[in-house]
Amino acid sequence: MDHTISDFDIHLFHEGTLYNSHAIFGAHLVKQKKKVTGTRFTVWAPHAKSVSVTGSFTDWEPGKYEMTRVNNEGIWTCFIDQDLEGSLYKYAITTAGGDLIMKSDPYAFHSELRPQTASVVYDLSGYKWGDQLYRQRVRKRRPIYERPLAIYELHLNSWKQKEDGSYLTYREYADELIPYVKERGFTHIELLPLTEHPLDASWGYQGTGYFSPTSRFGTPHDLMYFIDRCHQEDIGVLLDWVPGHFCKDSHGLYMFDGQPLYEYDSFNDRENLEWGTANFNLAKGEVRSFLISNALYWMNFFRIDGLRVDAVANIIYWANSEPETANPYATEFLQELNKAVFNENPRFLMMAEDSTDWPGVTKPVHEGGLGFNYKWNMGWMNDLLDYMEYPPFERRHHHHKLTFSLVYAYSENYILPLSHDEVVHGKRSLLHKMPGEYWEKFAQWRLLLSYLITHPGKKLLFMGAEFAQFDEWKYVQGLDWFLKDYDSHAQSDVFTKELMNFYQAHKALHEFDHDPQGFEWIDADNAEQSIYSFVRRGKRKSDTLMVICNFTNVSYDHFRIGAPFEGKWEEVFSSDRQDFGGTNHVNQTALTEENPIHNRKQSLDIKIPPLGITIWKPAKK
């Protein structure tokens, strides 16, 4: 194998279109006839006077293996005729000012366990995947827009820990997490960032090693094993990804060759003052090559099924601008990113965590959009949680908070997120946010999750919410698993299992998620009773669901509701069932009467549970 770099690859890298730059840069074992003949190192450092490779194989003495400058734009390379797999290394960079700085490899595939910061020479090849059937099924399935998408968001560090407080390994997570998620009816898991990062408390959002899965839980092959096992159980894997900003620790990307390189030159554009990080310079072709290659790297080497792109608002607007000013380089980058991703895999999920009203986030690039296929609906989430924190008797004054989301529900392809950001830093858990007595908290928690499932849009729930954890997320320790010994939390866990499996089983809740014909209000104006009623439709009339939500603690033995069409209806789900911890104010079947209400000729007389939801379906003949 030739260990030189082609002029064409160099051109593409600087242009910003070398989407496999990880095959060129970093540390690579050079093989001939399956035998390793040496190790090639390549790095980009245009402001450096000199660069050398140093590490455990030089007793960390810089200068022993000097790198050769390939071009004026600052690519350096070095070939060492040794098999250095497993060796620790860094780049010793002499800056323009004559200082010697030690940097981890931006393209390293593996890293030393924190708090150590060296890169590790690692061969990604050799893992034998067993997920071929899963990949075939994904290719043959209908597009995700018409299918259920229920995401379990989790932070590996704090999902579960060993008794001594240490973390499980990727392989141990495969044994414990996968059956847990599958039993609860989730279709995907979403992992908070796994790129290498120095500080546990950053949750992975301040990365230093973008091509290096964190070594906290094992090796890259161990992560491949975990994802492989997920796929074999028909669970998709999504990764939280941060292409907007990066950690400023001295061994990382920040001032990589002594001057701004991966970040913007000017202080105002570079510094992310809120998070103490540096913003990627998205005007540079080399940075675009780095980031887009990274997205494709996670897709192709680790076979993840999608990326949740963090803090899009921080990307598309210039930092520290007042008023907010759009960054044209950022929008171009996002469009290029999404085009490259979908050209590689049209079934991939690209999800924007965007809190702005930027138009066309999920519109295709060729139609002028940013090109994502999903956007987090932050407005829906904020309005819903704000509404739920009012005492039930006050909600009639804030009725619009729940109806407003349907004004714009089809303007983008939305994911409805009840995420980690809403249950940390004093915001309290979902259960704890609910007002009232103990039973009322649990009833409203069930209502909250039921409303999530029945509202148009795909679903996301953060770990711990599935069994109604009372304390907010404590990211330094595992979830409060002991709560399952208490009836209320055990019943809550049963409720979540049934709710999620109900969601998957009923096409009306996902077939027309992004089409207005899938939703119709029955009564959007009952503010006085705080009762909302609507219809969800699938492609077949028999799939129709009628949903009635009561956001007060008043129950009704006789409540008349306009039905979409005449006939016999049956209650197919109630959040007030006794085995869920409810009051058992449930129904069985009801026959429509010619009693017009809600602009419909026929209606039903049904029971309405307190602080609960009741869902109806046409009875089978």
Side-chain angles (χ1 to χ4, degrees):
M1 176 179 175
D2 186 8
H3 57 265
T4 60
I5 309 171
S6 73
D7 290 340
F8 186 59
D9 283 341
I10 291 174
H11 167 75
L12 293 179
F13 174 68
H14 294 305
E15 182 184 64
T17 57
L18 184 62
Y19 297 155
N20 67 334
S21 59
H22 49 284
I24 305 300
F25 292 85
H28 294 271
L29 299 176
V30 178
K31 300 178 183 179
Q32 289 183 345
K33 297 180 180 179
K34 297 184 179 181
K35 182 180 179 181
V36 176
T37 60
T39 308
R40 185 193 71 216
F41 297 87
T42 307
V43 68
W44 175 53
H47 305 112
K49 278 186 177 179
S50 64
V51 185
S52 64
V53 182
T54 185
S56 55
F57 46 93
T58 69
D59 292 327
W60 293 103
E61 179 184 345
K64 185 172 182 180
Y65 292 109
E66 292 284 351
M67 304 186 77
T68 301
R69 186 166 186 143
V70 175
N71 63 356
N72 291 332
E73 290 77 21
I75 295 176
W76 302 76
T77 192
C78 173
F79 179 77
I80 301 174
D81 58 355
Q82 299 178 46
D83 180 350
L84 295 176
E85 183 171 13
S87 298
L88 305 178
Y89 72 100
K90 283 188 177 181
Y91 295 116
I93 299 174
T94 303
T95 69
D99 297 323
L100 181 66
I101 56 178
M102 302 286 280
K103 289 287 188 176
S104 302
D105 188 349
Y107 284 90
F109 296 146
H110 192 29
S111 298
E112 198 175 10
L113 180 63
R114 55 90 179 88
Q116 306 306 316
T117 58
S119 301
V120 181
V121 179
Y122 192 89
D123 186 1
L124 288 171
S125 65
Y127 180 79
K128 298 188 182 302
W129 290 85
D131 66 346
Q132 290 77 14
L133 288 177
Y134 169 81
R135 288 159 69 83
Q136 290 173 13
R137 285 196 298 267
V138 169
R139 285 193 293 268
K140 292 178 180 178
R141 285 172 175 162
R142 291 175 299 155
I144 192 64
Y145 309 108
E146 302 176 16
R147 292 192 291 109
L149 177 58
I151 302 167
Y152 184 69
E153 185 193 35
L154 71 141
H155 178 240
L156 281 182
N157 306 43
S158 56
W159 183 73
K160 182 179 286 187
Q161 297 180 0
K162 298 177 182 178
E163 289 186 4
D164 62 359
S166 61
Y167 301 146
L168 278 67
T169 66
Y170 289 120
R171 292 175 182 266
E172 289 170 332
Y173 278 116
D175 292 335
E176 296 207 30
L177 176 62
I178 294 172
Y180 181 85
V181 170
K182 186 173 183 179
E183 183 183 3
R184 277 147 192 82
F186 291 94
T187 63
H188 291 69
I189 61 170
E190 181 179 312
L191 303 166
L192 268 62
L194 290 183
T195 47
E196 193 56 85
H197 53 283
L199 181 65
D200 292 348
S202 78
W203 315 334
Y205 287 95
Q206 297 188 12
T208 51
Y210 272 67
F211 289 83
S212 179
T214 179
S215 55
R216 287 165 173 79
F217 317 112
T219 68
H221 280 171
D222 293 332
L223 176 57
M224 291 177 188
Y225 172 85
F226 170 77
I227 296 171
D228 193 8
R229 286 276 304 277
C230 286
H231 287 173
Q232 291 174 40
E233 295 298 328
D234 204 23
I235 297 171
V237 180
L238 311 173
L239 183 63
D240 219 336
W241 189 59
V242 190
H245 62 106
F246 58 88
C247 177
K248 290 168 60 175
D249 281 31
S250 60
H251 68 281
L253 298 175
Y254 189 67
M255 301 290 179
F256 185 77
D257 56 5
Q259 297 181 40
L261 187 62
Y262 286 88
E263 61 273 65
Y264 289 104
D265 291 337
S266 74
F267 178 92
N268 209 46
D269 297 334
R270 176 176 68 241
E271 297 301 318
N272 194 309
L273 302 177
E274 181 180 0
W275 297 318
T277 54
N279 295 313
F280 276 110
N281 186 342
L282 300 175
K284 285 187 178 178
E286 298 87 352
V287 174
R288 295 190 190 196
S289 289
F290 173 82
L291 289 171
I292 296 175
S293 294
N294 188 242
L296 299 182
Y297 164 81
W298 287 104
M299 175 200 298
N300 293 326
F301 280 87
F302 292 91
R303 300 193 177 183
I304 65 163
D305 301 279
L307 293 171
R308 178 264 199 187
V309 179
D310 179 65
V312 169
N314 177 74
I315 298 174
I316 59 179
Y317 290 105
W318 286 108
N320 312 310
S321 61
E322 188 60 43
E324 285 186 332
T325 306
N327 178 349
Y329 305 113
T331 52
E332 289 173 7
F333 161 72
L334 292 174
Q335 290 174 324
E336 290 173 14
L337 166 70
N338 287 319
K339 284 194 296 184
V341 163
F342 292 125
N343 184 59
E344 187 83 9
N345 181 0
R347 297 279 182 166
F348 204 69
L349 295 177
M350 289 294 287
M351 303 167 291
E353 189 245 345
D354 176 28
S355 57
T356 74
D357 57 359
W358 187 278
V361 172
T362 58
K363 183 183 288 187
V365 172
H366 66 268
E367 295 180 13
L370 292 184
F372 291 92
N373 48 13
Y374 277 103
K375 171 179 175 173
W376 275 26
N377 194 336
M378 311 295 279
W380 170 88
M381 176 273 298
N382 284 317
D383 283 347
L384 174 61
L385 294 181
D386 189 37
Y387 177 85
M388 294 300 297
E389 292 191 53
Y390 287 110
F393 62 87
E394 288 187 16
R395 289 173 179 161
R396 64 184 185 274
H397 303 303
H398 307 279
H399 193 75
H400 66 282
K401 284 188 174 292
L402 293 199
T403 57
F404 180 64
S405 62
L406 272 303
V407 173
Y408 62 87
Y410 303 102
S411 61
E412 303 276 6
N413 298 330
Y414 281 118
I415 287 174
L416 309 178
L418 295 177
S419 75
H420 65 279
D421 277 328
E422 313 319 317
V423 293
V424 72
H425 297 325
K427 295 179 183 177
R428 300 172 295 166
S429 70
L430 294 182
L431 178 69
H432 200 180
K433 291 177 192 288
M434 303 299 106
E437 299 177 4
Y438 199 65
W439 77 267
E440 292 177 306
K441 287 183 177 293
F442 280 93
Q444 290 171 98
W445 169 86
R446 293 192 299 271
L447 176 56
L448 172 68
L449 266 57
S450 301
Y451 188 69
L452 161 73
I453 293 304
T454 55
H455 190 285
K458 305 308 182 186
K459 325 301 177 185
L460 180 142
L461 191 66
F462 185 58
M463 65 181 197
E466 72 276 12
F467 60 85
Q469 176 158 309
F470 196 85
D471 282 351
E472 68 176 18
W473 174 36
K474 303 181 286 289
Y475 50 84
V476 296
Q477 64 189 65
L479 296 176
D480 293 337
W481 296 106
F482 67 88
L483 289 176
K484 289 197 175 187
D485 294 333
Y486 296 88
D487 287 345
S488 295
H489 296 278
Q491 290 166 335
S492 298
D493 191 37
V494 171
F495 166 80
T496 303
K497 292 178 193 176
E498 292 215 19
L499 179 66
M500 289 299 176
N501 283 290
F502 178 85
Y503 165 66
Q504 287 209 43
H506 289 80
K507 294 180 179 180
L509 296 178
H510 46 76
E511 277 191 330
F512 287 129
D513 258 332
H514 313 302
D515 188 326
Q517 68 177 309
F519 179 93
E520 181 185 358
W521 283 111
I522 296 174
D523 186 3
D525 302 318
N526 190 349
E528 193 59 33
Q529 292 175 295
S530 296
I531 292 178
Y532 301 78
S533 51
F534 52 89
V535 175
R536 292 299 309 274
R537 290 192 175 88
K539 293 181 179 180
R540 299 182 306 176
K541 182 178 179 180
S542 59
D543 292 331
T544 302
L545 295 178
M546 185 166 52
V547 181
I548 304 97
C549 306
N550 179 14
F551 285 89
T552 72
N553 51 14
V554 178
S555 61
Y556 302 88
D557 289 327
H558 296 280
F559 189 92
R560 189 157 294 280
I561 189 83
F565 44 83
E566 64 181 13
K568 189 178 182 180
W569 290 73
E570 61 179 331
E571 185 180 67
V572 288
F573 192 86
S574 172
S575 64
D576 199 44
R577 276 170 34 187
Q578 193 168 17
D579 58 329
F580 296 158
T583 65
N584 216 36
H585 208 82
V586 298
N587 301 266
Q588 292 183 342
T589 61
L591 188 65
T592 58
E593 304 170 11
E594 292 185 9
N595 191 341
I597 193 174
H598 301 141
N599 294 317
R600 287 161 176 82
K601 295 179 181 179
Q602 60 283 324
S603 60
L604 298 170
D605 182 12
I606 63 175
K607 296 178 183 177
I608 301 291
L611 296 171
I613 190 171
T614 174
I615 305 177
W616 295 73
K617 188 176 183 180
K620 294 182 180 178
K621 294 182 180 179

